[in-house]
Amino acid sequence: MDLKAFVRDVPDFPRKGIVFKDITPLIASPEAFADSIRQMAARVAKPEAVVAIESRGFIFGAPLALHWGVPFVPARKFGKLPGRTVRQVYSLEYGEDTLELHADALRAGWEVVVVDDLLATGGTAAATISLVRQLGAHVRAALFAIELVGLGGRQRLDPTRVEALISVPAGTG
């Protein structure tokens, strides 16, 4: 199935000059959504956990965890997880942000997959990979529905294996 046909371009969102890649049509189609999960799962061997990035990464991460029968671990913005957490500060285009994982979410030595909807510059994914490593686990691969090519995200995550279902040049339709 050509999943790119289910991604809608929204020009000038969230600000002028940006072409937002909207996954809403993809997840609105049960066939396309199911195929996207099957395709993601086929890209890597079964991990010991799925770590998904807030919030659209949860859309793909939860069904992948169910598909593989492994724990789902949410990477959340600062202050959203109760209990003891590990934190990673990372840079944004304008400022910085913080992601957290529960401190007991992963076991040392586990092989995990990091999941998000979109790879652009790779800052959020790099911060998530750092959190996984803080807990002594290893990242088998980072899976994305869409990769915006030309923004350096894949290179920023190197040497982590990166898999994307759809690759498009940044700023294009």
Side-chain angles (χ1 to χ4, degrees):
M1 178 176 285
D2 179 16
L3 297 177
K4 189 175 181 182
F6 292 90
V7 177
R8 175 176 41 207
D9 286 345
V10 181
D12 298 323
F13 183 82
R15 61 180 184 273
K16 191 165 180 61
I18 305 268
V19 179
F20 184 81
K21 301 298 180 186
D22 182 15
I23 61 166
T24 306
L26 186 138
I27 61 176
S29 164
E31 297 83 12
F33 187 32
D35 193 54
S36 71
I37 300 305
R38 279 191 297 274
Q39 286 188 42
M40 283 181 151
R43 301 276 178 120
V44 297
K46 177 182 173 179
E48 290 165 291
V50 171
V51 178
I53 301 171
E54 184 174 333
S55 67
R56 289 185 301 265
F58 295 176
I59 294 169
F60 296 96
L64 279 167
L66 286 172
H67 171 84
W68 282 315
V70 300
F72 173 82
V73 178
R76 305 269 339 247
K77 300 286 177 136
F78 177 76
K80 300 289 184 180
L81 292 173
R84 200 166 65 83
T85 62
V86 292
R87 294 184 187 120
Q88 181 65 46
V89 176
Y90 64 102
S91 296
L92 298 170
E93 189 174 350
Y94 300 105
E96 51 185 37
D97 210 343
T98 305
L99 280 178
E100 296 182 306
L101 290 179
H102 277 123
D104 61 356
L106 302 172
R107 292 193 181 138
W110 272 9
E111 294 285 329
V112 307
V113 172
V114 171
V115 179
D116 204 358
D117 68 319
L118 184 124
L119 173 62
T121 63
T124 308
T128 304
I129 289 167
S130 178
L131 286 168
V132 168
R133 290 178 178 150
Q134 282 182 50
L135 296 177
H138 307 283
V139 178
R140 176 171 288 160
L143 298 176
F144 302 92
I146 303 168
E147 176 183 8
L148 298 180
V149 178
L151 296 179
R154 182 178 290 266
Q155 294 77 14
R156 186 173 190 175
L157 301 183
D158 193 51
T160 300
R161 178 177 163 198
V162 172
E163 295 284 341
L165 300 182
I166 301 165
S167 294
V168 295
T172 66

